[in-house]
Amino acid sequence: MAAFTPRVFSGIQPSGGLTLGNYLGAMKRFVTMQDEGKFETVYCMVDLHAITVWQDPAALTRATRELCAGFIAAGVDPSKSILFNQSQVAEHAQLAWIFNCVARMGWMQRMTQWKDKAGKNSQNASLGLFAYPALMAADILVYHATHVPVGEDQKQHLELTRDIAIKFNNDFGVDFFPETEPVIEGAATRVMSLRDGSKKMSKSDPSDMSRINLIDDADTIAQKIRKARTDPDALPSEVDGLDDRPEARNLVNIYAALAETTPEAVLADHGGSQFSAFKPELADLAVNKLAPISTEMSRLMEQPDEIDRILGHGAEQARALAAPILKKTYEIVGMVGA
Ligand code: AQP
């Protein structure tokens, strides 16, 4: 196996406002991996992914800038990490085409995100939504990224990324693309909807009460947690007691992730509490952790030119990494002029 530079890539779609799920499942780890200094870190606003479902153009522009503000407010530092939006680095789409020709229809049809998002009306879904995982593989492999921090929902797409890398290497008899490792860690790798413990918390859920947005104010956060669906029982003292109690498990996991502890430790402190006592404590914790982020996001959003400058600079840095890898890919495939 070739030796690859330790490099992290991950992205978030500007398909709406950032949620607590994006923050705890992905963004918090982006910052840790950046600050550990063991990796080069490349983070992306994946606008090409966002348009696989309809996006109002003005809303997409705003959401991309807001997402960039969210990255920075959460601790991603443009002087330490490369921060850019996907559409500005054409190599992503160019490598995705090669991967569309490597990946198999059957692989794509098995993707649960495709099945969930296309639903019963798959004939009417966009071709882009179907091909989404091949573009995601290109996002990662165009940097030869070795590690990808993501939430649990992206595990299957990461497996497919590895399958594409392996098939490309086998088809062309090379050892060119790495088998990228997912990094899925922490107490909240799958934050669930506040209204339905069987659904993940999502930016695009029609109910705003189902999610905490990073820009929600303190009253809104407290109200959403107060109204979160729960069962009538008190919290157990052991995590086994959360079996078959998805809403209770979700709130305990959120508490643990925000407090940077474990669900076991949360239950050691709060076992026996009613939700009427636990929810206000969780709301206070969430407000304390999220308020500085939302304040900083609002401040940055008042400087769209500065955000665009940061994204432009990041795109130049990203292109410098991606262009030689795409060129080499074209050579391997046999494209004249590569
Ligand atoms: N509920 C979640 N719990 C833990 N991690 C989550 N992530 C998303 N939701 C949760 C992680 O956030 C990163 C960015 O996700 P994305 O925006 O690219 O797409 P998504 O996973 O489809 O997120 P959403 O919020 O559900 O977006 P929409 O509604 O547009 O589809 C990923 O690492 C993801 O795992």
Side-chain angles (χ1 to χ4, degrees):
M1 193 57 154
F4 294 96
T5 305
R7 187 175 290 151
V8 164
F9 174 90
S10 198
I12 298 189
Q13 299 184 75
S15 48
L18 275 166
T19 70
L20 184 67
N22 299 135
Y23 176 65
L24 295 178
M27 214 172 234
K28 221 162 162 280
R29 185 140 320 271
F30 296 174
V31 178
T32 318
M33 294 186 94
Q34 163 194 275
D35 291 344
E36 276 169 0
K38 287 195 268 181
F39 300 94
E40 288 178 16
T41 43
V42 183
Y43 298 128
C44 186
M45 277 113 270
V46 287
D47 46 9
L48 296 175
H49 281 285
I51 61 163
T52 56
V53 299
W54 169 250
Q55 303 293 335
D56 171 77
L60 179 67
T61 304
R62 185 179 165 80
T64 305
R65 290 191 178 124
E66 189 180 294
L67 183 50
C68 183
F71 270 100
I72 297 169
V76 175
D77 178 346
S79 70
K80 295 185 189 160
S81 293
I82 298 179
L83 198 56
F84 69 106
N85 59 316
Q86 186 187 26
S87 58
Q88 300 312 299
V89 180
E91 285 78 1
H92 288 241
Q94 290 172 293
L95 185 60
W97 182 258
I98 303 281
F99 287 170
N100 281 343
C101 302
V102 172
R104 306 289 94 184
M105 294 283 285
W107 298 2
M108 300 292 169
Q109 270 157 349
R110 282 197 289 277
M111 294 296 111
T112 50
Q113 181 172 296
W114 157 251
K115 291 190 228 168
D116 290 348
K117 285 201 170 177
K120 293 196 180 77
N121 200 7
S122 62
Q123 292 301 306
N124 224 12
S126 75
L127 188 55
L129 188 65
F130 187 67
Y132 184 114
L135 176 58
M136 181 165 158
D139 298 337
I140 295 164
L141 294 174
V142 83
Y143 300 102
H144 277 181
T146 54
H147 294 79
V148 180
V150 275
E152 182 73 36
D153 60 313
Q154 294 298 328
K155 192 167 178 225
Q156 198 186 27
H157 287 164
L158 258 296
E159 282 161 11
L160 192 125
T161 299
R162 291 164 67 97
D163 289 342
I164 289 177
I166 292 168
K167 186 168 187 315
F168 182 96
N169 288 346
N170 283 340
D171 286 352
F172 293 98
V174 290
D175 183 13
F176 185 60
F177 286 116
E179 290 177 36
T180 307
E181 296 288 340
V183 180
I184 304 174
E185 285 170 4
T189 55
R190 190 169 176 82
V191 178
M192 307 310 281
S193 156
L194 298 179
R195 307 303 298 166
D196 177 351
S198 68
K199 269 172 57 182
K200 77 164 188 161
M201 183 180 285
S202 189
K203 299 183 208 89
S204 56
D205 191 310
S207 164
D208 193 56
M209 292 301 282
S210 71
R211 63 178 161 264
I212 292 172
N213 305 299
L214 290 201
I215 52 160
D216 283 342
D217 61 30
D219 287 348
T220 309
I221 293 175
Q223 192 203 25
K224 286 179 175 178
I225 292 177
R226 199 170 56 244
K227 298 213 162 165
R229 191 172 146 187
T230 40
D231 56 48
D233 297 338
L235 282 173
S237 312
E238 310 279 337
V239 279
D240 289 355
L242 295 172
D243 290 349
D244 303 321
R245 297 181 65 188
E247 285 87 10
R249 181 187 295 280
N250 190 36
L251 295 188
V252 169
N253 285 350
I254 292 173
Y255 193 109
L258 286 169
E260 296 183 4
T261 180
T262 59
E264 287 80 1
V266 174
L267 292 179
D269 285 348
H270 296 274
S273 292
Q274 296 295 332
F275 282 106
S276 54
F278 182 68
K279 282 176 167 181
E281 289 205 33
L282 175 58
D284 284 350
L285 176 63
V287 168
N288 282 337
K289 294 283 176 175
L290 301 182
I293 300 177
S294 80
T295 307
E296 180 62 2
M297 275 174 81
S298 306
R299 192 188 69 76
L300 290 165
M301 281 299 282
E302 283 167 16
Q303 305 170 40
D305 292 347
E306 175 60 8
I307 290 181
D308 293 359
R309 192 197 60 74
I310 290 169
L311 290 175
H313 176 61
E316 272 174 38
Q317 294 175 296
R319 249 179 255 126
L321 291 178
I325 292 176
L326 181 75
K327 184 176 181 337
K328 182 71 189 163
T329 309
Y330 279 179
E331 279 170 24
I332 292 169
V333 174
M335 305 287 191
V336 172

